[in-house]
Amino acid sequence: MNRRTLLALAGGASVAVVAGCGGPNEGGTGTMLESRLPLPDAFKVPLLIPPVAKSVRRDDTTDYYEITQRAAKVEIIPGTKTTIWGYDGIFPGPTFMGKAGRRMVVKVKNELPVPTSTHLHGGVTPAGSDGFPTDLVAPKGYNVHAAHTGHGGMAMNMADWKFHDQAKDYEYPMVQRAATLWYHDHRMDFSAPQVWRGLAGAFLVTDAEESALPLPRKERDIPLIIGDRSFEADGEFRYPSLDSTLTKPGVTDEWMSGVFGDVILVNGRPWPFLEVEAVRYRFRLVNGSNARRYTLTLGGGLKFTQVGGDGGLLPVPVEHGEITIAPGERYDVVVDFSAVKPGSSVVLANTLGEGRTRDVMKFVVTRAGQDDSRIPAVLSQVPKLTREQAVATRQFDFRLLGGKWTINGKPYDTSASLASPKLGTVELWRFTSDFHHPVHMHLAHFQVLSRGGRGPGPLDGGWKDTVDVRPYEVVEVLAKFDGFQGRYMLHCHNLEHEDMAMMANFDVV
Ligand code: C2O
Ligand code: CU
Ligand code: CU
């Protein structure tokens, strides 16, 4: 870390400095990385909706899928080609449709030049299929001794590394309720550059309760994966890796606090537009950005009606004029375009952005439409966890210490475990921070109990797995350790912080 960055990071008053050329208002902790080509005009390219993954085989209990991670050249900035790394060579990858109670096995084949680990974010997954950062699928002929010894002050134990030769079966039992999940790369030290290159996609789980609701469905139920990127003059992705072959980890000092791109992509397209009818739509908002937070608003006085969060349906719908979404978080919302005059349009904007990053995408209302959808007054029974149910209280402090991103004062140690909650219990976990840190737990879903000494914020409702912890804030959550025993993790979902050791293990016992 160079002195300027260190000085900038040294005090809370300097958060604006950290945001650097992105301006104090860009949201999150990070530094703007400017593209080296002229940025395309907004709202000129149509939104792409990723294809739905198809099973290759099924038996009584299980649907089997196969997906290949590979490089491909695609047109993102009109008139140029970008090399992406995608699941099945597309960015975002195919959308998986899971069904509660129906097991899935996904064979991930790796044809990239680097190891990968696939994590189902929000998944209740056996530990061996959780996409642990050192549980890797190695490419053909990969020299496992090339696996380096960590950075950001991490402690590494080679015994914790596992290399699967070219493919691995990930088992997803789907012992969970309907929810908007997403999957992405989780390779030790390299999640940030590998997700930046495209290794992410949506994963929707349905169940009987959710499919009985009259919410908009089919082509009116659309995942919107929002991510910022920067581009080189020739259209390739720009990212400040120390080593573009992704053998030696790390980014240049200036971007240690996180990388903000200056092009906003939705489903891999820059500032796209989507033609809609004047009816209700359901959008699965996913923040797939490395570091950028967004405060999303709709033009024309429209509001979002939130029906779900990270962990599925809310008890009742909640209306929001704006939604702040941190990296890793999801909001499941309904937008009603029925009051919009056909021929006019509605911009989805980001009020945390400046200049071009204030725009996200545009909805063009083409015509009136038939709509038999409804937003029911009651969505789901969600048992409310109480403080009294917690059998233990633990504190996790997310902080920059001595130039390292730490949890409870320590950079990640592949072998250490910071907690051993018992399967089936509820614990109170208290997160404290210096900067913006989106705190994410694997396996366990939680409910926000308090934020800054008050009750949960308007966007904290329902079950969650990622919570936006703001500078010098204390957030208490009640986590339920359901599903499986084994080793899982807790980390900051600012992917540059994650890569630079802001992770910890816990063991469900
Ligand atoms: Cu989406 Cu461990 O992360
Ligand atoms: Cu996760
Ligand atoms: Cu962080």
Side-chain angles (χ1 to χ4, degrees), residues 177-180 215 282-285 305-318 320 323 329-334 379-380 459 461-464:
R177 64 201 293 259
T180 303
L215 295 171
R282 181 177 182 186
F283 296 116
R284 318 294 190 110
L285 303 170
T305 303
Q306 187 192 357
V307 294
D310 303 338
L313 292 169
L314 301 180
V316 296
V318 180
H320 302 288
I323 288 184
E329 283 190 305
R330 287 88 67 213
Y331 287 91
D332 185 349
V333 300
V334 174
L379 297 163
S380 177
L459 292 158
W463 287 106
K464 288 179 65 62

PDB file of all heavy atoms in Angstrom, residues 177-180 215 282-285 305-318 320 323 329-334 379-380 459 461-464:
ATOM      1  N   ARG A 177     -35.929 -22.394   0.948  1.00  0.00           N
ATOM      2  CA  ARG A 177     -37.138 -21.786   0.379  1.00  0.00           C
ATOM      3  C   ARG A 177     -36.817 -21.023  -0.908  1.00  0.00           C
ATOM      4  O   ARG A 177     -35.653 -20.780  -1.227  1.00  0.00           O
ATOM      5  CB  ARG A 177     -37.808 -20.878   1.416  1.00  0.00           C
ATOM      6  CG  ARG A 177     -36.966 -19.684   1.834  1.00  0.00           C
ATOM      7  CD  ARG A 177     -37.425 -19.129   3.184  1.00  0.00           C
ATOM      8  NE  ARG A 177     -38.744 -18.542   3.145  1.00  0.00           N
ATOM      9  CZ  ARG A 177     -38.992 -17.219   3.086  1.00  0.00           C
ATOM     10  NH1 ARG A 177     -38.005 -16.346   3.039  1.00  0.00           N
ATOM     11  NH2 ARG A 177     -40.221 -16.779   3.071  1.00  0.00           N
ATOM     12  N   ALA A 178     -37.872 -20.638  -1.586  1.00  0.00           N
ATOM     13  CA  ALA A 178     -37.718 -19.872  -2.819  1.00  0.00           C
ATOM     14  C   ALA A 178     -36.915 -18.610  -2.540  1.00  0.00           C
ATOM     15  O   ALA A 178     -37.133 -17.942  -1.528  1.00  0.00           O
ATOM     16  CB  ALA A 178     -39.092 -19.493  -3.366  1.00  0.00           C
ATOM     17  N   ALA A 179     -35.980 -18.298  -3.423  1.00  0.00           N
ATOM     18  CA  ALA A 179     -35.161 -17.099  -3.232  1.00  0.00           C
ATOM     19  C   ALA A 179     -34.388 -16.792  -4.507  1.00  0.00           C
ATOM     20  O   ALA A 179     -34.261 -17.630  -5.396  1.00  0.00           O
ATOM     21  CB  ALA A 179     -34.175 -17.299  -2.076  1.00  0.00           C
ATOM     22  N   THR A 180     -33.867 -15.574  -4.560  1.00  0.00           N
ATOM     23  CA  THR A 180     -33.006 -15.145  -5.663  1.00  0.00           C
ATOM     24  C   THR A 180     -31.562 -15.337  -5.220  1.00  0.00           C
ATOM     25  O   THR A 180     -31.068 -14.586  -4.385  1.00  0.00           O
ATOM     26  CB  THR A 180     -33.262 -13.658  -5.985  1.00  0.00           C
ATOM     27  OG1 THR A 180     -34.642 -13.493  -6.288  1.00  0.00           O
ATOM     28  CG2 THR A 180     -32.404 -13.205  -7.162  1.00  0.00           C
ATOM     29  N   LEU A 215     -47.831 -13.320  -8.423  1.00  0.00           N
ATOM     30  CA  LEU A 215     -46.831 -12.334  -8.845  1.00  0.00           C
ATOM     31  C   LEU A 215     -46.564 -12.470 -10.342  1.00  0.00           C
ATOM     32  O   LEU A 215     -46.824 -13.522 -10.936  1.00  0.00           O
ATOM     33  CB  LEU A 215     -45.534 -12.569  -8.060  1.00  0.00           C
ATOM     34  CG  LEU A 215     -45.627 -12.326  -6.555  1.00  0.00           C
ATOM     35  CD1 LEU A 215     -44.351 -12.803  -5.856  1.00  0.00           C
ATOM     36  CD2 LEU A 215     -45.889 -10.847  -6.260  1.00  0.00           C
ATOM     37  N   ARG A 282     -41.724  -8.321 -12.449  1.00  0.00           N
ATOM     38  CA  ARG A 282     -40.932  -8.684 -11.277  1.00  0.00           C
ATOM     39  C   ARG A 282     -39.462  -8.666 -11.686  1.00  0.00           C
ATOM     40  O   ARG A 282     -39.093  -9.291 -12.685  1.00  0.00           O
ATOM     41  CB  ARG A 282     -41.340 -10.084 -10.820  1.00  0.00           C
ATOM     42  CG  ARG A 282     -40.613 -10.582  -9.591  1.00  0.00           C
ATOM     43  CD  ARG A 282     -41.164 -11.943  -9.204  1.00  0.00           C
ATOM     44  NE  ARG A 282     -40.527 -12.452  -7.995  1.00  0.00           N
ATOM     45  CZ  ARG A 282     -40.743 -13.671  -7.506  1.00  0.00           C
ATOM     46  NH1 ARG A 282     -41.593 -14.494  -8.115  1.00  0.00           N
ATOM     47  NH2 ARG A 282     -40.134 -14.070  -6.415  1.00  0.00           N
ATOM     48  N   PHE A 283     -38.642  -7.937 -10.969  1.00  0.00           N
ATOM     49  CA  PHE A 283     -37.214  -7.864 -11.272  1.00  0.00           C
ATOM     50  C   PHE A 283     -36.418  -8.403 -10.091  1.00  0.00           C
ATOM     51  O   PHE A 283     -36.640  -8.007  -8.948  1.00  0.00           O
ATOM     52  CB  PHE A 283     -36.792  -6.420 -11.563  1.00  0.00           C
ATOM     53  CG  PHE A 283     -37.454  -5.840 -12.795  1.00  0.00           C
ATOM     54  CD1 PHE A 283     -38.328  -4.763 -12.691  1.00  0.00           C
ATOM     55  CD2 PHE A 283     -37.213  -6.376 -14.050  1.00  0.00           C
ATOM     56  CE1 PHE A 283     -38.942  -4.228 -13.826  1.00  0.00           C
ATOM     57  CE2 PHE A 283     -37.821  -5.859 -15.193  1.00  0.00           C
ATOM     58  CZ  PHE A 283     -38.694  -4.774 -15.075  1.00  0.00           C
ATOM     59  N   ARG A 284     -35.483  -9.308 -10.398  1.00  0.00           N
ATOM     60  CA  ARG A 284     -34.583  -9.824  -9.369  1.00  0.00           C
ATOM     61  C   ARG A 284     -33.315  -9.008  -9.440  1.00  0.00           C
ATOM     62  O   ARG A 284     -32.431  -9.286 -10.268  1.00  0.00           O
ATOM     63  CB  ARG A 284     -34.271 -11.299  -9.620  1.00  0.00           C
ATOM     64  CG  ARG A 284     -35.439 -12.162 -10.036  1.00  0.00           C
ATOM     65  CD  ARG A 284     -36.473 -12.311  -8.939  1.00  0.00           C
ATOM     66  NE  ARG A 284     -37.432 -13.344  -9.351  1.00  0.00           N
ATOM     67  CZ  ARG A 284     -37.513 -14.547  -8.766  1.00  0.00           C
ATOM     68  NH1 ARG A 284     -36.734 -14.844  -7.753  1.00  0.00           N
ATOM     69  NH2 ARG A 284     -38.402 -15.430  -9.201  1.00  0.00           N
ATOM     70  N   LEU A 285     -33.210  -7.997  -8.590  1.00  0.00           N
ATOM     71  CA  LEU A 285     -32.035  -7.132  -8.603  1.00  0.00           C
ATOM     72  C   LEU A 285     -30.883  -7.821  -7.878  1.00  0.00           C
ATOM     73  O   LEU A 285     -31.029  -8.226  -6.729  1.00  0.00           O
ATOM     74  CB  LEU A 285     -32.347  -5.804  -7.901  1.00  0.00           C
ATOM     75  CG  LEU A 285     -33.530  -4.997  -8.457  1.00  0.00           C
ATOM     76  CD1 LEU A 285     -33.871  -3.843  -7.521  1.00  0.00           C
ATOM     77  CD2 LEU A 285     -33.186  -4.467  -9.856  1.00  0.00           C
ATOM     78  N   THR A 305     -41.906  -2.159  -5.334  1.00  0.00           N
ATOM     79  CA  THR A 305     -42.560  -2.894  -4.259  1.00  0.00           C
ATOM     80  C   THR A 305     -41.713  -4.127  -3.995  1.00  0.00           C
ATOM     81  O   THR A 305     -41.632  -5.032  -4.828  1.00  0.00           O
ATOM     82  CB  THR A 305     -43.992  -3.300  -4.646  1.00  0.00           C
ATOM     83  OG1 THR A 305     -44.704  -2.114  -4.990  1.00  0.00           O
ATOM     84  CG2 THR A 305     -44.697  -3.984  -3.483  1.00  0.00           C
ATOM     85  N   GLN A 306     -41.045  -4.127  -2.846  1.00  0.00           N
ATOM     86  CA  GLN A 306     -40.155  -5.250  -2.530  1.00  0.00           C
ATOM     87  C   GLN A 306     -40.981  -6.432  -2.042  1.00  0.00           C
ATOM     88  O   GLN A 306     -41.779  -6.304  -1.124  1.00  0.00           O
ATOM     89  CB  GLN A 306     -39.145  -4.843  -1.448  1.00  0.00           C
ATOM     90  CG  GLN A 306     -38.103  -5.930  -1.208  1.00  0.00           C
ATOM     91  CD  GLN A 306     -37.270  -5.709   0.036  1.00  0.00           C
ATOM     92  OE1 GLN A 306     -37.404  -4.707   0.742  1.00  0.00           O
ATOM     93  NE2 GLN A 306     -36.408  -6.675   0.331  1.00  0.00           N
ATOM     94  N   VAL A 307     -40.795  -7.571  -2.698  1.00  0.00           N
ATOM     95  CA  VAL A 307     -41.488  -8.790  -2.249  1.00  0.00           C
ATOM     96  C   VAL A 307     -40.515  -9.779  -1.610  1.00  0.00           C
ATOM     97  O   VAL A 307     -40.931 -10.687  -0.901  1.00  0.00           O
ATOM     98  CB  VAL A 307     -42.285  -9.476  -3.393  1.00  0.00           C
ATOM     99  CG1 VAL A 307     -43.432  -8.568  -3.848  1.00  0.00           C
ATOM    100  CG2 VAL A 307     -41.395  -9.852  -4.562  1.00  0.00           C
ATOM    101  N   GLY A 308     -39.218  -9.595  -1.875  1.00  0.00           N
ATOM    102  CA  GLY A 308     -38.259 -10.535  -1.298  1.00  0.00           C
ATOM    103  C   GLY A 308     -36.894  -9.899  -1.138  1.00  0.00           C
ATOM    104  O   GLY A 308     -36.603  -8.844  -1.708  1.00  0.00           O
ATOM    105  N   GLY A 309     -36.060 -10.570  -0.352  1.00  0.00           N
ATOM    106  CA  GLY A 309     -34.671 -10.154  -0.168  1.00  0.00           C
ATOM    107  C   GLY A 309     -33.755 -11.324  -0.480  1.00  0.00           C
ATOM    108  O   GLY A 309     -34.166 -12.274  -1.156  1.00  0.00           O
ATOM    109  N   ASP A 310     -32.545 -11.274   0.040  1.00  0.00           N
ATOM    110  CA  ASP A 310     -31.551 -12.324  -0.239  1.00  0.00           C
ATOM    111  C   ASP A 310     -32.120 -13.724  -0.008  1.00  0.00           C
ATOM    112  O   ASP A 310     -31.867 -14.649  -0.766  1.00  0.00           O
ATOM    113  CB  ASP A 310     -30.344 -12.221   0.701  1.00  0.00           C
ATOM    114  CG  ASP A 310     -29.633 -10.891   0.654  1.00  0.00           C
ATOM    115  OD1 ASP A 310     -29.766 -10.177  -0.342  1.00  0.00           O
ATOM    116  OD2 ASP A 310     -28.920 -10.594   1.643  1.00  0.00           O
ATOM    117  N   GLY A 311     -32.856 -13.877   1.095  1.00  0.00           N
ATOM    118  CA  GLY A 311     -33.275 -15.213   1.531  1.00  0.00           C
ATOM    119  C   GLY A 311     -34.727 -15.521   1.229  1.00  0.00           C
ATOM    120  O   GLY A 311     -35.317 -16.388   1.862  1.00  0.00           O
ATOM    121  N   GLY A 312     -35.317 -14.842   0.264  1.00  0.00           N
ATOM    122  CA  GLY A 312     -36.669 -15.193  -0.156  1.00  0.00           C
ATOM    123  C   GLY A 312     -37.725 -14.182   0.250  1.00  0.00           C
ATOM    124  O   GLY A 312     -37.423 -13.053   0.649  1.00  0.00           O
ATOM    125  N   LEU A 313     -38.983 -14.614   0.135  1.00  0.00           N
ATOM    126  CA  LEU A 313     -40.125 -13.716   0.299  1.00  0.00           C
ATOM    127  C   LEU A 313     -40.157 -13.024   1.660  1.00  0.00           C
ATOM    128  O   LEU A 313     -39.835 -13.619   2.693  1.00  0.00           O
ATOM    129  CB  LEU A 313     -41.422 -14.517   0.147  1.00  0.00           C
ATOM    130  CG  LEU A 313     -41.730 -15.071  -1.253  1.00  0.00           C
ATOM    131  CD1 LEU A 313     -42.884 -16.063  -1.181  1.00  0.00           C
ATOM    132  CD2 LEU A 313     -42.031 -13.931  -2.229  1.00  0.00           C
ATOM    133  N   LEU A 314     -40.580 -11.760   1.642  1.00  0.00           N
ATOM    134  CA  LEU A 314     -40.858 -11.032   2.879  1.00  0.00           C
ATOM    135  C   LEU A 314     -42.233 -11.467   3.381  1.00  0.00           C
ATOM    136  O   LEU A 314     -43.034 -12.008   2.614  1.00  0.00           O
ATOM    137  CB  LEU A 314     -40.899  -9.523   2.590  1.00  0.00           C
ATOM    138  CG  LEU A 314     -39.654  -8.859   2.002  1.00  0.00           C
ATOM    139  CD1 LEU A 314     -39.920  -7.365   1.806  1.00  0.00           C
ATOM    140  CD2 LEU A 314     -38.449  -9.070   2.906  1.00  0.00           C
ATOM    141  N   PRO A 315     -42.551 -11.185   4.651  1.00  0.00           N
ATOM    142  CA  PRO A 315     -43.903 -11.500   5.131  1.00  0.00           C
ATOM    143  C   PRO A 315     -44.968 -10.707   4.368  1.00  0.00           C
ATOM    144  O   PRO A 315     -45.999 -11.255   3.969  1.00  0.00           O
ATOM    145  CB  PRO A 315     -43.887 -11.103   6.613  1.00  0.00           C
ATOM    146  CG  PRO A 315     -42.482 -10.752   6.961  1.00  0.00           C
ATOM    147  CD  PRO A 315     -41.667 -10.689   5.707  1.00  0.00           C
ATOM    148  N   VAL A 316     -44.703  -9.421   4.173  1.00  0.00           N
ATOM    149  CA  VAL A 316     -45.644  -8.564   3.432  1.00  0.00           C
ATOM    150  C   VAL A 316     -44.829  -7.666   2.500  1.00  0.00           C
ATOM    151  O   VAL A 316     -43.653  -7.401   2.756  1.00  0.00           O
ATOM    152  CB  VAL A 316     -46.488  -7.675   4.392  1.00  0.00           C
ATOM    153  CG1 VAL A 316     -47.386  -8.528   5.280  1.00  0.00           C
ATOM    154  CG2 VAL A 316     -45.601  -6.769   5.235  1.00  0.00           C
ATOM    155  N   PRO A 317     -45.449  -7.219   1.409  1.00  0.00           N
ATOM    156  CA  PRO A 317     -44.699  -6.345   0.498  1.00  0.00           C
ATOM    157  C   PRO A 317     -44.356  -5.003   1.158  1.00  0.00           C
ATOM    158  O   PRO A 317     -45.097  -4.517   2.011  1.00  0.00           O
ATOM    159  CB  PRO A 317     -45.669  -6.135  -0.677  1.00  0.00           C
ATOM    160  CG  PRO A 317     -46.974  -6.708  -0.273  1.00  0.00           C
ATOM    161  CD  PRO A 317     -46.800  -7.519   0.950  1.00  0.00           C
ATOM    162  N   VAL A 318     -43.224  -4.425   0.743  1.00  0.00           N
ATOM    163  CA  VAL A 318     -42.781  -3.138   1.291  1.00  0.00           C
ATOM    164  C   VAL A 318     -42.463  -2.211   0.127  1.00  0.00           C
ATOM    165  O   VAL A 318     -41.730  -2.582  -0.786  1.00  0.00           O
ATOM    166  CB  VAL A 318     -41.521  -3.320   2.166  1.00  0.00           C
ATOM    167  CG1 VAL A 318     -41.067  -1.975   2.736  1.00  0.00           C
ATOM    168  CG2 VAL A 318     -41.772  -4.310   3.298  1.00  0.00           C
ATOM    169  N   HIS A 320     -40.731   1.006  -1.656  1.00  0.00           N
ATOM    170  CA  HIS A 320     -39.540   1.843  -1.487  1.00  0.00           C
ATOM    171  C   HIS A 320     -39.447   2.831  -2.655  1.00  0.00           C
ATOM    172  O   HIS A 320     -39.597   2.436  -3.814  1.00  0.00           O
ATOM    173  CB  HIS A 320     -38.255   1.016  -1.545  1.00  0.00           C
ATOM    174  CG  HIS A 320     -38.168  -0.088  -0.532  1.00  0.00           C
ATOM    175  ND1 HIS A 320     -37.979   0.132   0.808  1.00  0.00           N
ATOM    176  CD2 HIS A 320     -38.216  -1.427  -0.685  1.00  0.00           C
ATOM    177  CE1 HIS A 320     -37.921  -1.031   1.442  1.00  0.00           C
ATOM    178  NE2 HIS A 320     -38.062  -2.000   0.560  1.00  0.00           N
ATOM    179  N   ILE A 323     -33.780   2.104  -3.458  1.00  0.00           N
ATOM    180  CA  ILE A 323     -33.206   0.879  -2.892  1.00  0.00           C
ATOM    181  C   ILE A 323     -31.694   0.979  -2.966  1.00  0.00           C
ATOM    182  O   ILE A 323     -31.123   1.120  -4.050  1.00  0.00           O
ATOM    183  CB  ILE A 323     -33.702  -0.363  -3.661  1.00  0.00           C
ATOM    184  CG1 ILE A 323     -35.181  -0.615  -3.318  1.00  0.00           C
ATOM    185  CG2 ILE A 323     -32.844  -1.594  -3.335  1.00  0.00           C
ATOM    186  CD1 ILE A 323     -35.765  -1.856  -3.935  1.00  0.00           C
ATOM    187  N   GLU A 329     -25.767  -8.307  -2.465  1.00  0.00           N
ATOM    188  CA  GLU A 329     -27.175  -8.286  -2.030  1.00  0.00           C
ATOM    189  C   GLU A 329     -28.132  -8.482  -3.198  1.00  0.00           C
ATOM    190  O   GLU A 329     -27.795  -8.190  -4.346  1.00  0.00           O
ATOM    191  CB  GLU A 329     -27.507  -6.930  -1.387  1.00  0.00           C
ATOM    192  CG  GLU A 329     -26.994  -6.758   0.009  1.00  0.00           C
ATOM    193  CD  GLU A 329     -27.569  -5.504   0.647  1.00  0.00           C
ATOM    194  OE1 GLU A 329     -27.422  -4.403   0.064  1.00  0.00           O
ATOM    195  OE2 GLU A 329     -28.161  -5.609   1.732  1.00  0.00           O
ATOM    196  N   ARG A 330     -29.343  -8.949  -2.866  1.00  0.00           N
ATOM    197  CA  ARG A 330     -30.419  -9.058  -3.852  1.00  0.00           C
ATOM    198  C   ARG A 330     -31.704  -8.434  -3.307  1.00  0.00           C
ATOM    199  O   ARG A 330     -32.008  -8.562  -2.120  1.00  0.00           O
ATOM    200  CB  ARG A 330     -30.734 -10.530  -4.211  1.00  0.00           C
ATOM    201  CG  ARG A 330     -29.680 -11.196  -5.088  1.00  0.00           C
ATOM    202  CD  ARG A 330     -28.581 -11.840  -4.295  1.00  0.00           C
ATOM    203  NE  ARG A 330     -29.039 -12.984  -3.525  1.00  0.00           N
ATOM    204  CZ  ARG A 330     -28.533 -13.333  -2.346  1.00  0.00           C
ATOM    205  NH1 ARG A 330     -27.573 -12.626  -1.779  1.00  0.00           N
ATOM    206  NH2 ARG A 330     -28.996 -14.396  -1.712  1.00  0.00           N
ATOM    207  N   TYR A 331     -32.451  -7.790  -4.207  1.00  0.00           N
ATOM    208  CA  TYR A 331     -33.800  -7.322  -3.900  1.00  0.00           C
ATOM    209  C   TYR A 331     -34.734  -7.825  -4.981  1.00  0.00           C
ATOM    210  O   TYR A 331     -34.452  -7.682  -6.167  1.00  0.00           O
ATOM    211  CB  TYR A 331     -33.844  -5.783  -3.788  1.00  0.00           C
ATOM    212  CG  TYR A 331     -33.185  -5.317  -2.510  1.00  0.00           C
ATOM    213  CD1 TYR A 331     -31.830  -5.010  -2.483  1.00  0.00           C
ATOM    214  CD2 TYR A 331     -33.898  -5.270  -1.321  1.00  0.00           C
ATOM    215  CE1 TYR A 331     -31.209  -4.645  -1.294  1.00  0.00           C
ATOM    216  CE2 TYR A 331     -33.285  -4.907  -0.130  1.00  0.00           C
ATOM    217  CZ  TYR A 331     -31.948  -4.593  -0.124  1.00  0.00           C
ATOM    218  OH  TYR A 331     -31.335  -4.258   1.053  1.00  0.00           O
ATOM    219  N   ASP A 332     -35.807  -8.453  -4.531  1.00  0.00           N
ATOM    220  CA  ASP A 332     -36.817  -9.011  -5.436  1.00  0.00           C
ATOM    221  C   ASP A 332     -37.973  -8.014  -5.417  1.00  0.00           C
ATOM    222  O   ASP A 332     -38.615  -7.838  -4.375  1.00  0.00           O
ATOM    223  CB  ASP A 332     -37.203 -10.388  -4.845  1.00  0.00           C
ATOM    224  CG  ASP A 332     -38.157 -11.180  -5.706  1.00  0.00           C
ATOM    225  OD1 ASP A 332     -38.710 -10.630  -6.666  1.00  0.00           O
ATOM    226  OD2 ASP A 332     -38.355 -12.370  -5.373  1.00  0.00           O
ATOM    227  N   VAL A 333     -38.179  -7.323  -6.537  1.00  0.00           N
ATOM    228  CA  VAL A 333     -39.141  -6.215  -6.539  1.00  0.00           C
ATOM    229  C   VAL A 333     -40.148  -6.362  -7.666  1.00  0.00           C
ATOM    230  O   VAL A 333     -39.873  -6.992  -8.694  1.00  0.00           O
ATOM    231  CB  VAL A 333     -38.427  -4.844  -6.687  1.00  0.00           C
ATOM    232  CG1 VAL A 333     -37.448  -4.615  -5.541  1.00  0.00           C
ATOM    233  CG2 VAL A 333     -37.724  -4.708  -8.038  1.00  0.00           C
ATOM    234  N   VAL A 334     -41.307  -5.752  -7.461  1.00  0.00           N
ATOM    235  CA  VAL A 334     -42.296  -5.623  -8.531  1.00  0.00           C
ATOM    236  C   VAL A 334     -42.380  -4.149  -8.888  1.00  0.00           C
ATOM    237  O   VAL A 334     -42.414  -3.292  -8.010  1.00  0.00           O
ATOM    238  CB  VAL A 334     -43.669  -6.175  -8.079  1.00  0.00           C
ATOM    239  CG1 VAL A 334     -44.730  -5.898  -9.148  1.00  0.00           C
ATOM    240  CG2 VAL A 334     -43.577  -7.671  -7.800  1.00  0.00           C
ATOM    241  N   LEU A 379     -47.414 -12.275   1.835  1.00  0.00           N
ATOM    242  CA  LEU A 379     -46.595 -13.055   0.911  1.00  0.00           C
ATOM    243  C   LEU A 379     -46.179 -14.400   1.491  1.00  0.00           C
ATOM    244  O   LEU A 379     -46.171 -15.414   0.805  1.00  0.00           O
ATOM    245  CB  LEU A 379     -45.340 -12.264   0.536  1.00  0.00           C
ATOM    246  CG  LEU A 379     -45.578 -10.938  -0.209  1.00  0.00           C
ATOM    247  CD1 LEU A 379     -44.318 -10.078  -0.146  1.00  0.00           C
ATOM    248  CD2 LEU A 379     -45.968 -11.206  -1.653  1.00  0.00           C
ATOM    249  N   SER A 380     -45.783 -14.380   2.766  1.00  0.00           N
ATOM    250  CA  SER A 380     -45.199 -15.590   3.338  1.00  0.00           C
ATOM    251  C   SER A 380     -45.231 -15.504   4.859  1.00  0.00           C
ATOM    252  O   SER A 380     -45.318 -14.418   5.429  1.00  0.00           O
ATOM    253  CB  SER A 380     -43.746 -15.699   2.861  1.00  0.00           C
ATOM    254  OG  SER A 380     -43.120 -16.816   3.444  1.00  0.00           O
ATOM    255  N   LEU A 459     -34.682  -1.376   4.436  1.00  0.00           N
ATOM    256  CA  LEU A 459     -34.271  -2.358   3.432  1.00  0.00           C
ATOM    257  C   LEU A 459     -33.724  -3.627   4.064  1.00  0.00           C
ATOM    258  O   LEU A 459     -33.214  -4.510   3.379  1.00  0.00           O
ATOM    259  CB  LEU A 459     -33.215  -1.741   2.508  1.00  0.00           C
ATOM    260  CG  LEU A 459     -33.772  -0.631   1.608  1.00  0.00           C
ATOM    261  CD1 LEU A 459     -32.672   0.297   1.130  1.00  0.00           C
ATOM    262  CD2 LEU A 459     -34.510  -1.241   0.412  1.00  0.00           C
ATOM    263  N   GLY A 461     -35.380  -5.921   5.802  1.00  0.00           N
ATOM    264  CA  GLY A 461     -36.407  -6.897   6.153  1.00  0.00           C
ATOM    265  C   GLY A 461     -36.147  -8.312   5.635  1.00  0.00           C
ATOM    266  O   GLY A 461     -35.407  -8.515   4.674  1.00  0.00           O
ATOM    267  N   GLY A 462     -36.763  -9.282   6.305  1.00  0.00           N
ATOM    268  CA  GLY A 462     -36.748 -10.670   5.833  1.00  0.00           C
ATOM    269  C   GLY A 462     -35.427 -11.366   6.109  1.00  0.00           C
ATOM    270  O   GLY A 462     -34.578 -10.880   6.850  1.00  0.00           O
ATOM    271  N   TRP A 463     -35.291 -12.545   5.496  1.00  0.00           N
ATOM    272  CA  TRP A 463     -34.038 -13.300   5.621  1.00  0.00           C
ATOM    273  C   TRP A 463     -32.995 -12.722   4.686  1.00  0.00           C
ATOM    274  O   TRP A 463     -33.298 -12.422   3.533  1.00  0.00           O
ATOM    275  CB  TRP A 463     -34.265 -14.767   5.244  1.00  0.00           C
ATOM    276  CG  TRP A 463     -35.037 -15.548   6.253  1.00  0.00           C
ATOM    277  CD1 TRP A 463     -36.343 -15.946   6.137  1.00  0.00           C
ATOM    278  CD2 TRP A 463     -34.560 -16.064   7.493  1.00  0.00           C
ATOM    279  NE1 TRP A 463     -36.702 -16.667   7.248  1.00  0.00           N
ATOM    280  CE2 TRP A 463     -35.622 -16.760   8.103  1.00  0.00           C
ATOM    281  CE3 TRP A 463     -33.332 -16.005   8.172  1.00  0.00           C
ATOM    282  CZ2 TRP A 463     -35.514 -17.393   9.333  1.00  0.00           C
ATOM    283  CZ3 TRP A 463     -33.219 -16.626   9.402  1.00  0.00           C
ATOM    284  CH2 TRP A 463     -34.303 -17.311   9.971  1.00  0.00           C
ATOM    285  N   LYS A 464     -31.785 -12.603   5.188  1.00  0.00           N
ATOM    286  CA  LYS A 464     -30.693 -12.077   4.372  1.00  0.00           C
ATOM    287  C   LYS A 464     -29.452 -12.948   4.524  1.00  0.00           C
ATOM    288  O   LYS A 464     -29.366 -13.763   5.460  1.00  0.00           O
ATOM    289  CB  LYS A 464     -30.347 -10.637   4.804  1.00  0.00           C
ATOM    290  CG  LYS A 464     -31.416  -9.622   4.397  1.00  0.00           C
ATOM    291  CD  LYS A 464     -31.087  -8.208   4.842  1.00  0.00           C
ATOM    292  CE  LYS A 464     -29.860  -7.636   4.175  1.00  0.00           C
ATOM    293  NZ  LYS A 464     -29.976  -7.524   2.691  1.00  0.00           N
TER     294      LYS A 464
END
